[in-house]
Amino acid sequence: MDASTDDKELRRSVRLLNSVLNRVLKAQGCETIAERADQLQKRFAGLLRDGGPARRRQLQEIIDDMDAETTGEVVRVFNRYFSLLNIAEESHFLNQRLRQAERGGHYWPGSFHDTLLNLRQSGVGADQLQTLLDQLLYMPVMTAHPTEAKRRTIKGALRNIFVTQDAVAHGRLKGYFRKEAIERLQCQVQLLWKTDEVRARSMGAADEIDTGLFYFPLSLFRATARMYRNLERSVHDVYGEEAHGIRVPSFLRFGSWIGGDRDGNPNVTPETTALALRLQAQTILQEYLQRLDTLRGQLSQSYGFCELSTEFETGLTADRSALGAATAELELPYLQEPYRHKLVLMKYRMERSLRRVSLLIAGANEPPDRLAYLSAAELLNDLRVIDASLRGHGDADVAGQDLADLIRLVETYGFHLMQLDVRQESGRHNDAVADIFRAALNLDYASLDETQRLQLLGEAIAAPGGLMYDRAALSSLTRQTLEVFETMARMRREIGGDCFGKYVISMTHQASHVMEVLLLAVQCGLAGRLGGQWYCHVGISPLFETIDDLNRIEEVLTTLLDQPVYRELLAASGERQEVMLGYSDSCKDGGIMAAAWGLYRAQQRVLAITGQRGIQCRLFHGRGGTVGRGGGPTHQAILAQPPDTVRGQIKFTEQGEVLFYRYNNMETAVYE
């Protein structure tokens, strides 16, 4: 199908949605508003063709003739029109990709198939491909953002319109069924027109958390499983027989700032951070519970028709012994079906895990439940035992369906769903550390220069047990700052060690700003030295976001990485050094061109500095939504990075309005 035919299809879809909107407006007694909107559209199109004074005057006359109420309604018409236009375009591009996939051969640029084909044609063999795959990390980080104002009701309405329009516009319905679908489409557009898009109240921190979680059961759980299947299929399509030895690792991870970003937001408290992690855990445990139930319905093999692995039989016996009489009634219907028997016990344990999280959210002080799953590793082990047993008696194809998808989800999401980054401005840490040194040593930290501060911080971090002081002597702000680190330590014990990502320090101007955070972590048991061995359970990501900070990045990082104590803690964490670059603030600070050049040079310098010291590094890109704030298509953004700076791993922020456009429809979420 050529480009002109594609263009005709898109125009036909736009005309269909526009006609449906006009019918809705007329049916609702809004003919005058519809006529004004149509006049404005035609006059503006004329202005684009001929930008003369007469055309501009004609357009202005229509605008001047409208009162405030009419203007508001006309704006609402255009708002709905452009939402429908976006749906038509999204559906159109989805179907373009589907047609390319149906034809086979070279898929669209940036697809798995296209990328792997280019790699193979460049001489990358199966062994080299495995090395590349093993190094991969792709981490979108969800952030709350006030520019996303759509209510969940509106998002649901737009999703319904997308599904119906897609079926109507691309020939999948004929005759009566097409007529029925168009009628349904008109009802959906009518509901969209009569639903207020703006919330009646402002969003609180809990609402922002809920908004971020909304997309996972809506699209992302299914999209994640489909994405891995697409990659595995592309590997086998491109590499053929060589692909049998290639293993695709679970390289996708999600991060979040929602509930952890307290820079300038007093509403994000330690309690908010704990709530965010518990709601995340609740969301993923609910998904696991549903999928375990689905598997229980599927894996109906009976004894005598399958040869169970020894590990499976041993595990089932151990489960029955550990769970005791509590499961006798549950397992009774499945005593002749070993996999269902195992899965009903797994479901029981998962229900208890979910119950504990729900009680903690409700405010109960609920201790760990010995009968529940205490970690994602326990669940993953049980699933892998089932997988190996199925494959051992010829049911590899069965294992490769829903069970394989669930294993992928557990590998990707654990029990925490997203790794929560904590962010705070460097001045808060500086003030807290000065307060602690005053209380502990009667020392004026603020009067020290950078060299003296680094020396003092290094000695204090290395001191066994940290600094001793009377907590009551600290200011309320210092106590609040320490409570954040105490919450991090507590939630790591409750949810798991992977529940936090990095501690992001905004406005990092000097190396001591990073060392100050580590001292605060030491005071709360997250880092330090015990028995002569260093340990560190917090990773630091300094954020460079102004033009001056980008220009100073080499000095700050060189000084930091040459601190012996910092190098010890970095090594003890087992993590890469992460450095975050701010696109939005640098654009506002120096303009798009100066910011782009500053960011480009900063990335090169960061990788050079860490490379000289043998330190692995990952860049964290603080992208905005629009191109002017560092946004734009992700694939092109990755390709635009300086050579040898991505190295198979990329982490980037996705703001509120971006989340809607990428993840409100599962079909688009797979592509993204």
Side-chain angles (χ1 to χ4, degrees):
M1 186 174 290
D2 60 28
S4 62
T5 305
D6 273 352
D7 191 46
K8 287 179 182 176
E9 281 191 358
L10 177 57
R11 290 202 300 271
R12 189 161 56 243
S13 296
V14 171
R15 284 197 300 271
L16 169 66
L17 288 171
N18 192 34
S19 67
V20 169
L21 177 60
N22 282 326
R23 286 201 298 272
V24 166
L25 293 173
K26 290 176 182 177
Q28 297 301 309
C30 302
E31 290 184 71
T32 303
I33 301 298
E35 289 171 3
R36 286 295 178 93
D38 185 58
Q39 287 175 344
L40 277 170
Q41 192 170 15
K42 289 177 178 176
R43 293 284 175 90
F44 186 73
L47 180 64
L48 290 177
R49 290 192 302 271
D50 172 17
R55 293 279 192 184
R56 186 173 297 277
R57 187 167 55 254
Q58 290 171 350
L59 179 63
Q60 191 64 48
E61 285 173 357
I62 297 177
I63 297 173
D64 293 340
D65 191 45
M66 295 189 302
D67 57 30
E69 184 177 351
T70 303
T71 300
E73 288 297 287
V74 168
V75 168
R76 200 156 73 90
V77 169
F78 279 113
N79 177 285
R80 297 301 191 263
Y81 171 75
F82 285 120
S83 292
L84 297 176
L85 186 63
N86 286 336
I87 286 173
E89 290 181 342
E90 186 176 350
S91 171
H92 173 70
F93 292 130
L94 168 65
N95 278 272
Q96 274 189 327
R97 295 192 295 271
L98 289 175
R99 283 196 294 268
Q100 284 180 288
E102 288 169 357
R103 289 196 299 267
H106 223 292
Y107 288 18
W108 59 90
S111 67
F112 288 140
H113 193 279
D114 174 76
T115 302
L116 290 166
L117 200 58
N118 288 335
L119 286 172
R120 185 165 195 187
Q121 290 171 351
S122 301
V124 175
D127 291 343
Q128 293 169 299
L129 178 63
Q130 186 66 67
T131 300
L132 294 175
L133 291 173
D134 289 342
Q135 295 173 350
L136 282 183
L137 175 71
Y138 182 81
M139 180 181 276
V141 178
M142 295 187 174
T143 70
H145 207 267
T147 54
E148 174 49 71
K150 288 185 181 67
R151 298 168 56 207
R152 180 178 295 191
T153 302
I154 292 292
K155 295 174 185 177
L158 292 172
R159 165 66 182 166
N160 292 337
I161 293 170
F162 173 86
V163 172
T164 306
Q165 184 274 339
D166 190 62
V168 170
H170 299 287
R172 291 194 284 275
L173 298 173
K174 304 291 184 184
Y176 166 78
F177 297 104
R178 176 180 170 83
K179 181 176 181 293
E180 183 184 51
I182 291 176
E183 290 172 353
R184 184 166 63 252
L185 181 63
Q186 182 165 333
C187 288
Q188 290 166 343
V189 172
Q190 183 170 318
L191 286 169
L192 179 67
W193 171 250
K194 302 192 80 171
T195 302
D196 198 343
E197 187 169 23
V198 181
R199 299 178 183 88
R201 60 179 179 84
S202 60
M203 291 179 66
D207 298 311
E208 291 176 348
I209 296 167
D210 188 55
T211 297
L213 296 177
F214 167 74
Y215 296 102
F216 286 94
L218 177 70
S219 67
L220 284 173
F221 290 139
R222 288 177 294 159
T224 296
R226 184 80 59 83
M227 180 273 293
Y228 283 120
R229 287 186 177 279
N230 290 347
L231 178 53
E232 288 173 340
R233 187 176 297 111
S234 293
V235 168
H236 284 86
D237 286 349
V238 173
Y239 278 83
E241 291 297 321
E242 298 176 65
H244 291 302
I246 298 176
R247 182 188 62 85
V248 176
S250 296
F251 59 87
L252 174 65
R253 297 291 183 271
F254 279 88
S256 176
W257 278 14
I258 309 174
D261 182 8
R262 53 209 357 101
D263 183 8
N265 188 351
N267 296 320
V268 179
T269 63
E271 292 75 22
T272 307
T273 298
L275 177 63
L277 286 168
R278 287 167 179 163
L279 288 173
Q280 289 176 195
Q282 183 182 61
T283 300
I284 190 60
L285 294 182
Q286 287 171 339
E287 182 69 17
Y288 293 159
L289 193 57
Q290 292 172 9
R291 288 177 178 260
L292 285 173
D293 213 29
T294 300
L295 283 174
R296 181 181 57 82
Q298 291 176 351
L299 301 184
S300 58
Q301 293 94 331
S302 300
Y303 282 108
F305 295 101
C306 54
E307 296 180 11
L308 304 171
S309 70
T310 302
E311 191 177 5
F312 177 87
E313 291 184 310
T314 302
L316 182 56
T317 302
D319 284 348
R320 297 189 71 198
S321 175
L323 298 177
T327 61
E329 187 175 346
L330 288 172
E331 65 182 357
L332 190 60
Y334 308 113
L335 295 178
Q336 295 302 313
E337 298 162 323
Y339 293 115
R340 284 181 164 180
H341 190 175
K342 174 74 171 178
L343 285 161
V344 77
L345 300 184
M346 292 172 65
K347 180 187 174 186
Y348 174 78
R349 296 185 67 190
M350 184 57 64
E351 285 173 335
R352 295 186 72 98
S353 299
L354 178 59
R355 174 182 174 276
R356 179 176 183 244
V357 171
S358 299
L359 287 171
L360 289 167
I361 291 170
N365 185 17
E366 190 69 12
D369 183 347
R370 67 175 185 84
L371 299 183
Y373 279 111
L374 299 179
S375 70
E378 289 184 4
L379 173 61
L380 193 57
N381 181 69
D382 278 349
L383 293 171
R384 286 173 174 165
V385 167
I386 295 173
D387 177 80
S389 184
L390 286 169
R391 294 178 188 276
H393 56 65
D395 279 337
D397 290 342
V398 175
Q401 296 299 312
D402 287 358
L403 176 60
D405 288 346
L406 180 52
I407 288 172
R408 283 294 193 188
L409 292 186
V410 179
E411 289 175 341
T412 300
Y413 296 110
F415 275 9
H416 56 272
L417 185 66
M418 299 183 280
Q419 288 190 321
L420 186 65
D421 286 341
V422 175
R423 184 171 76 136
Q424 182 57 279
E425 193 266 331
S426 60
R428 283 291 297 270
H429 311 128
N430 184 273
D431 292 343
V433 166
D435 198 20
I436 289 171
F437 275 125
R438 178 195 55 76
L441 303 174
N442 195 26
L443 189 151
D444 184 7
Y445 178 76
S447 67
L448 304 180
D449 62 26
E450 177 69 358
T451 301
Q452 292 170 323
R453 289 185 180 189
L454 289 171
Q455 177 69 27
L456 178 63
L457 289 165
E459 293 176 2
I461 290 169
L467 298 173
M468 304 299 293
Y469 50 83
D470 179 7
R471 189 173 180 120
L474 301 176
S475 71
S476 61
L477 278 179
T478 299
R479 291 197 297 271
Q480 290 172 18
T481 301
L482 287 171
E483 284 171 8
V484 174
F485 291 87
E486 291 164 351
T487 299
M488 291 176 68
R490 185 176 75 253
M491 297 310 295
R492 288 186 79 257
R493 293 190 296 269
E494 181 183 310
I495 303 293
D498 293 333
C499 65
F500 285 102
K502 299 297 183 184
Y503 194 105
V504 179
I505 309 170
S506 57
M507 294 299 169
T508 302
H509 302 314
Q510 47 200 16
S512 61
H513 286 162
V514 177
M515 297 291 282
E516 287 164 357
V517 171
L518 284 172
L519 177 61
L520 296 171
V522 167
Q523 296 303 120
C524 300
L526 285 167
R529 189 168 59 173
L530 191 63
Q533 297 293 318
W534 289 95
Y535 67 94
C536 186
H537 301 313
V538 59
I540 311 292
S541 184
L543 168 55
F544 301 92
E545 46 195 332
T546 66
I547 297 297
D548 285 343
D549 285 343
L550 292 173
N551 291 334
R552 201 164 46 236
I553 199 168
E554 189 168 5
E555 173 192 342
V556 173
L557 275 186
T558 299
T559 304
L560 176 65
L561 296 177
D562 288 344
Q563 297 298 310
V565 168
Y566 183 77
R567 291 288 293 273
E568 291 281 6
L569 288 169
L570 183 62
S573 73
E575 298 284 342
R576 294 170 179 247
Q577 175 62 59
E578 185 175 283
V579 176
M580 183 173 182
L581 304 171
Y583 286 59
S584 176
D585 282 341
S586 58
C587 282
K588 289 184 286 188
D589 185 38
I592 295 176
M593 183 64 72
W597 177 241
L599 289 162
Y600 192 93
R601 292 287 298 136
Q603 292 178 65
Q604 292 176 320
R605 291 197 293 268
V606 169
L607 271 295
I609 292 165
T610 53
Q612 290 164 4
R613 290 159 177 77
I615 296 172
Q616 290 188 313
C617 180
R618 175 172 57 242
L619 295 171
F620 181 8
H621 301 270
R623 305 174 73 220
T626 63
V627 174
R629 299 179 63 236
T634 303
H635 179 67
Q636 293 179 21
I638 293 172
L639 293 179
Q641 302 311 311
D644 197 33
T645 59
V646 177
R647 300 182 181 181
Q649 299 207 352
I650 193 161
K651 180 178 176 182
F652 55 91
T653 55
E654 290 192 313
Q655 296 181 349
E657 75 277 18
V658 175
L659 299 178
F660 168 76
Y661 290 113
R662 291 188 174 172
Y663 303 138
N664 200 59
N665 293 312
M666 194 276 291
E667 301 81 357
T668 302
V670 173
Y671 168 71
E672 292 293 348

